[in-house]
Amino acid sequence: MRKISLFIAMSLDGYIADSKGGVDWLKGHGSDDENIDTYSEFVKDIDTILMGWNTYYQIVTELSPKEWVYQDFTTYVITHNEHDSSEKIRFVNMNPVELAKSLKKENGKDIWICGGANLIQQLISEDFIDCYYITVIPTILGSGIRLFENAEHEIKLRLLHTQSYNGMTDLIYTRR
């Protein structure tokens, strides 16, 4: 069965975006000689992405307006609005947990939960994320959009791997 993985960065104080939804702060504090590309390694096992509307909209209007950066994947955008889907981008109006359950049963590689916070929190509340790939950015924002908010129950994790570069720390956890 396919795994569902969260691959995301957060500030040291647990935010995935600043109070205006911005992500300009998502960088380390210099440039290490060692070129570590955790993204390319992660996506080798991914063929499907789930994201919320706000994440999709930020990508296509601000972060990469000229080109869809996830061309190699099938992306499901969860939205209440009607939009025309394409072969690679599918707009769906359904419960994210039900969508994830359905996709998990299909053949294919693993599924990446790309964002945003509401989608992530719904999957966490159902303990439906198998692996957590979290990069901690050396920034304290003080406010913004939290990654983990009001968890309904404890989820025990096991640390699989850590690495640090450019002031950032990658943490990889799986459920116990």
Side-chain angles (χ1 to χ4, degrees):
M1 193 175 282
R2 302 165 83 180
K3 284 189 314 189
I4 296 184
S5 296
L6 173 65
F7 183 90
I8 200 161
M10 71 176 189
S11 64
L12 182 60
D13 54 345
Y15 296 99
I16 58 173
D18 65 24
S19 57
K20 294 179 182 166
V23 293
D24 296 349
W25 54 274
L26 285 174
K27 51 188 164 280
H29 60 65
S31 59
D32 285 351
D33 293 335
E34 191 176 358
N35 184 14
I36 296 177
D37 183 4
T38 56
Y39 172 81
S40 294
E41 192 61 33
F42 171 74
V43 296
K44 286 179 184 177
D45 296 324
I46 299 295
D47 67 1
T48 304
I49 298 174
L50 264 63
M51 68 177 63
W53 170 258
N54 291 341
T55 300
Y56 169 80
Y57 188 76
Q58 185 175 38
I59 291 168
V60 298
T61 62
E62 179 186 333
L63 303 176
S64 183
K66 292 182 176 22
E67 156 187 35
W68 181 241
V69 292
Y70 300 124
Q71 196 68 20
D72 296 335
F73 312 97
T74 300
T75 301
Y76 289 84
V77 179
I78 298 168
T79 178
H80 298 294
N81 303 314
E82 241 181 80
H83 299 278
D84 291 332
S85 294
S86 67
E87 182 184 340
K88 289 294 184 178
I89 304 172
R90 300 178 184 167
F91 297 96
V92 295
N93 181 3
M94 65 186 297
N95 178 301
V97 175
E98 294 306 314
L99 175 60
K101 282 180 184 176
S102 172
L103 291 172
K104 197 169 179 160
K105 293 176 187 172
E106 293 178 4
N107 289 330
K109 293 182 177 182
D110 294 340
I111 301 163
W112 170 18
I113 307 304
C114 183
N118 187 313
L119 167 64
I120 293 165
Q121 290 163 9
Q122 288 181 64
L123 292 166
I124 289 172
S125 74
E126 297 293 325
D127 196 11
F128 215 72
I129 296 176
D130 299 302
C131 290
Y132 293 78
Y133 294 77
I134 299 173
T135 300
V136 179
I137 306 295
T139 298
I140 296 173
L141 291 176
S143 66
I145 300 170
R146 281 209 175 275
L147 176 56
F148 303 108
E149 189 76 55
N150 301 322
E152 296 174 14
H153 60 285
E154 179 181 15
I155 298 174
K156 295 182 185 271
L157 304 173
R158 179 174 5 114
L159 181 64
L160 297 179
H161 180 74
T162 64
Q163 71 179 355
S164 294
Y165 54 96
N166 195 17
M168 301 179 291
T169 301
D170 291 337
L171 305 166
I172 302 174
Y173 294 95
T174 187
R175 284 186 298 192
R176 280 196 254 164

